[in-house]
Amino acid sequence: MIEIIFLDVDGSLTDGGIYKTNSGDEFKKFDVKDGFGIQEWLRIGKKIAIITGKSSKIVENRAKELKIPYFFQGVKDKFQKAREILELENLDFSNAAAIGDDLNDMKLLNVVKISFKPADALSSVKADITLSKNGGNGAVREMIEILVDRENLRDEWNKNWL
């Protein structure tokens, strides 16, 4: 069973753009469907971890808003951080899925049970599933929906809404 999803941020949870105002303020775009999917995955008792190489208060605020239990920024080795999280949860990589879009995600994508990449990921990134959605435009939600179906969780997933 997949118990935890490891999320990359820039290019997966966001569109990868770094938007700056004239005053130097930065902002990022998040897809509400991704956020809802994350909240529902957590609601059914699963786990999410954000592991990102960049540091951003914006991403920290989004992680808090979504109540994501594991949030790590400025990470150079995503594989090692994921291993630490799995040890804390008494899980292993066979219980994990991940999404990533660039070379710094490859080591982690290669060891999880099932890996995903957004449609607009770097072509050299290898994953089990290439999603139809671009990063920041519903790719994370699409990944979660695939996992819900593969793990036979659709009834639990839908019970609050249908």
Side-chain angles (χ1 to χ4, degrees):
M1 284 294 274
I2 300 298
E3 298 296 333
I4 189 166
I5 298 170
F6 297 111
L7 298 178
D8 168 53
V9 175
D10 292 318
S12 296
L13 193 57
T14 75
D15 64 5
I18 298 174
Y19 303 95
K20 300 257 184 188
T21 65
N22 286 336
S23 60
D25 293 330
E26 184 176 310
F27 63 96
K28 294 180 182 280
K29 173 191 159 291
F30 298 96
D31 190 302
V32 71
K33 289 183 250 6
D34 289 342
F36 187 78
I38 288 168
Q39 289 177 316
E40 288 302 293
W41 182 258
L42 294 169
R43 182 190 60 78
I44 63 172
K46 302 298 186 174
K47 306 229 181 315
I48 299 265
I50 286 178
I51 305 173
T52 180
K54 196 171 182 307
S55 292
S56 167
K57 185 70 173 164
I58 297 164
V59 178
E60 180 182 343
N61 291 339
R62 184 67 172 153
K64 284 179 183 174
E65 178 181 49
L66 296 173
K67 297 177 177 55
I68 294 173
Y70 292 105
F71 173 68
F72 298 95
Q73 299 192 85
V75 176
K76 299 291 182 235
D77 187 343
K78 294 181 180 187
F79 166 80
Q80 180 58 36
K81 185 54 72 178
R83 186 164 48 190
E84 291 170 16
I85 294 166
L86 290 170
E87 286 177 20
L88 288 172
E89 289 293 330
N90 223 9
L91 298 170
D92 61 42
F93 285 109
S94 69
N95 303 114
I99 185 170
D101 72 308
D102 213 328
L103 298 176
N104 63 333
D105 302 309
M106 288 294 299
K107 193 172 179 183
L108 181 56
L109 293 176
N110 286 333
V111 296
V112 295
K113 172 84 176 201
I114 186 165
S115 59
F116 298 84
K117 70 177 188 176
D120 59 343
L122 196 67
S123 62
S124 60
V125 171
K126 303 300 178 217
D128 297 315
I129 296 176
T130 300
L131 300 163
S132 67
K133 306 279 187 194
N134 288 343
N137 291 290
V140 169
R141 176 63 175 271
E142 182 182 1
M143 172 190 65
I144 291 171
E145 294 278 349
I146 289 169
L147 290 171
V148 165
D149 289 336
R150 283 183 171 225
E151 301 288 314
N152 295 313
L153 297 168
R154 186 58 60 187
D155 289 342
E156 175 72 14
W157 180 263
N158 288 339
K159 81 176 186 181
N160 284 351
W161 309 108
L162 300 178

